[in-house]
Amino acid sequence: MIVDDQVMIRDGLATLLSAAPDIEVVGLAGDGRAAVDLCRQVSPDVVVMDVRMPVLDGIAATAEIVGGEPPRPRVLILTTFDLDEYVYEALGVGASGFLLKDASGADLIAGVRVVAGGEALLAPSVTQRLIDDFARRRRHERPNPQVLATLTPRELDVLRLVARGLSNAEIAGELTLAEQTVKTHVGNMLAKLGLRDRTQAVVYAYENGLAG
């Protein structure tokens, strides 16, 4: 589903994504409130979300969508260099990825696939810098270290590699494990830490000094 208050951008994104053989655009919305309502009707896997919109902005809409009843779609935020504060807020409410608005069409298609697959879209250097800065700002809210201690040594290794932006396949190669085993470790790690997805795991790792 695509959410943007500018019709030309919204329609352009829809045309671009629809051209990908494995992507279907199931809905378009022009503001955050319409996006929340439409999500309940069409149950998208991924929402491509603008930030600055009327009625309800993209941050508030993301919070409602991610915090709503399952199935919960993953949200890919479209951002620009001058929206850093919004990006910090979006991380806090559970966005799964970020993409600059000047990214190429191929980057957008790849980003949707990455987020749909449960990965964190953290590859661009600007996004990594935002994640790092966000984590520094929130170190005073560091979670209870006793929770971190519930992880096994292998789950801790996996968390560190997730924080570096590695995929399950890449982690499997790094640790000489089967990819399915890595997937199991990731799931166990997220469950123990009470995290929604890999993006929150990255933030958690930065907050706790496990990445950098």
Side-chain angles (χ1 to χ4, degrees):
M1 192 174 86
I2 298 168
V3 188
D4 196 294
D5 63 328
Q6 297 185 44
V7 176
M8 288 183 64
I9 292 178
R10 193 166 66 235
D11 290 348
L13 292 176
T15 300
L16 174 68
L17 290 172
S18 295
D22 56 340
I23 297 176
E24 178 186 2
V25 177
V26 297
L28 304 174
D31 63 72
R33 174 52 56 200
V36 173
D37 294 340
L38 188 58
C39 262
R40 298 192 183 106
Q41 299 173 34
V42 300
S43 298
D45 297 310
V46 176
V47 177
V48 177
M49 180 78 73
D50 189 22
V51 174
R52 289 179 172 172
M53 294 181 294
V55 186
L56 189 70
D57 67 31
I59 306 303
T62 297
E64 287 198 35
I65 288 170
V66 174
E69 294 295 321
R72 301 180 184 93
R74 298 182 180 278
V75 178
L76 174 61
I77 297 285
L78 292 180
T79 185
T80 57
F81 282 109
D82 63 344
L83 290 178
D84 288 3
E85 291 298 329
Y86 293 97
V87 173
Y88 302 139
E89 292 180 43
L91 273 170
V93 299
S96 293
F98 303 89
L99 201 62
L100 296 176
K101 278 197 167 182
D102 61 357
S104 69
D107 286 340
L108 176 60
I109 291 171
V112 168
R113 289 172 177 154
V114 166
V115 171
E119 304 280 350
L121 185 61
L122 302 171
S125 59
V126 61
T127 305
Q128 193 63 52
R129 188 176 70 247
L130 292 172
I131 296 282
D132 194 9
D133 196 14
F134 171 82
R136 287 199 302 270
R137 289 164 179 247
R138 289 187 53 185
R139 286 191 188 278
H140 65 283
E141 300 173 9
R142 181 175 296 182
N144 190 330
Q146 292 180 348
V147 177
L148 189 61
T150 64
L151 298 184
T152 66
R154 184 57 81 193
E155 288 164 355
L156 200 56
D157 290 339
V158 168
L159 175 58
R160 289 191 177 99
L161 294 174
V162 166
R164 284 169 46 189
L166 273 63
S167 67
N168 285 351
E170 291 168 334
I171 293 173
E174 188 86 9
L175 299 179
T176 318
L177 296 172
E179 189 171 344
Q180 184 58 45
T181 301
V182 171
K183 185 176 180 180
T184 299
H185 284 317
V186 170
N188 290 341
M189 176 266 293
L190 294 176
K192 287 181 179 180
L193 299 179
L195 304 174
R196 290 192 196 96
D197 55 26
R198 298 169 78 100
T199 307
Q200 288 199 338
V202 172
V203 174
Y204 186 99
Y206 270 80
E207 289 175 335
N208 285 274
L210 298 174

